[in-house]
Amino acid sequence: MTDVILATFRLNARLMEAAQGLAQHGDMTAAWWQVLGGVLDEPRSVADVGRIMGVSRQGVQRIADLLVERGLAEYRPNPAHRRAKLLACTEAGYWAIRQISVAQGPWTTELAKSVDVEDLRTTLRTMQALITTLEGA
């Protein structure tokens, strides 16, 4: 298990490097891309984005404020909670994400060629099981 954890740390570092390079296609950082990705399908509270992405609410809040300041996202009223506004993607945010997607598609396709698809499916199931176990602890 320790070897899996160490390999996961190393893989995460390489993926974050790649994400940083891909995010530049949308004039964003990897962290901005991650937070904006949490509201592409629907507006969410900062706390909800944090839960989805597995990061702290405070970290998401700092980035959300930057995204709003740069016009990539906006805050909207939350009918379920007066104080916890919803973060929503703006047209400029969707445009930036589209620019990243143009670069991400070929990169992902090329990377996937190096691993058997069934191995990827097994890896995904294993990672999901570990996440479920750790989040339940």
Side-chain angles (χ1 to χ4, degrees):
M1 190 67 218
T2 298
D3 290 341
V4 170
I5 292 168
L6 293 174
T8 301
F9 288 161
R10 186 171 177 187
L11 176 60
N12 181 62
R14 299 296 79 78
L15 288 173
M16 291 308 295
E17 287 173 3
Q20 193 64 35
L22 290 167
Q24 290 176 356
H25 291 274
D27 291 324
M28 295 175 50
T29 69
W32 295 8
W33 180 19
Q34 182 181 24
V35 171
L36 203 54
V39 297
L40 289 178
D41 59 341
E42 67 178 299
R44 290 187 172 87
S45 71
V46 167
D48 286 341
V49 173
R51 277 189 287 280
I52 290 167
M53 298 298 166
V55 295
S56 74
R57 186 203 60 76
Q58 294 85 351
V60 173
Q61 184 67 65
R62 183 182 56 79
I63 293 167
D65 289 343
L66 288 170
L67 291 170
V68 169
E69 181 180 305
R70 287 170 171 75
L72 298 169
E74 64 186 7
Y75 288 118
R76 295 182 183 167
N78 183 349
H81 194 284
R82 195 167 41 102
R83 289 182 52 215
K85 294 187 176 174
L86 298 176
L87 182 66
C89 192
T90 63
E91 271 309 308
Y94 285 118
W95 185 88
I97 293 296
R98 281 191 294 276
Q99 300 312 302
I100 295 168
S101 295
V102 167
Q104 180 193 9
W107 180 84
T108 303
T109 300
E110 192 60 33
L111 182 61
K113 289 179 183 177
S114 67
V115 182
D116 179 74
V117 70
E118 285 307 314
D119 288 344
L120 286 173
R121 288 186 179 116
T122 300
T123 300
L124 177 60
R125 284 192 304 273
T126 303
M127 291 173 71
Q128 289 170 331
L130 289 169
I131 290 166
T132 299
T133 300
L134 290 169
E135 288 181 347

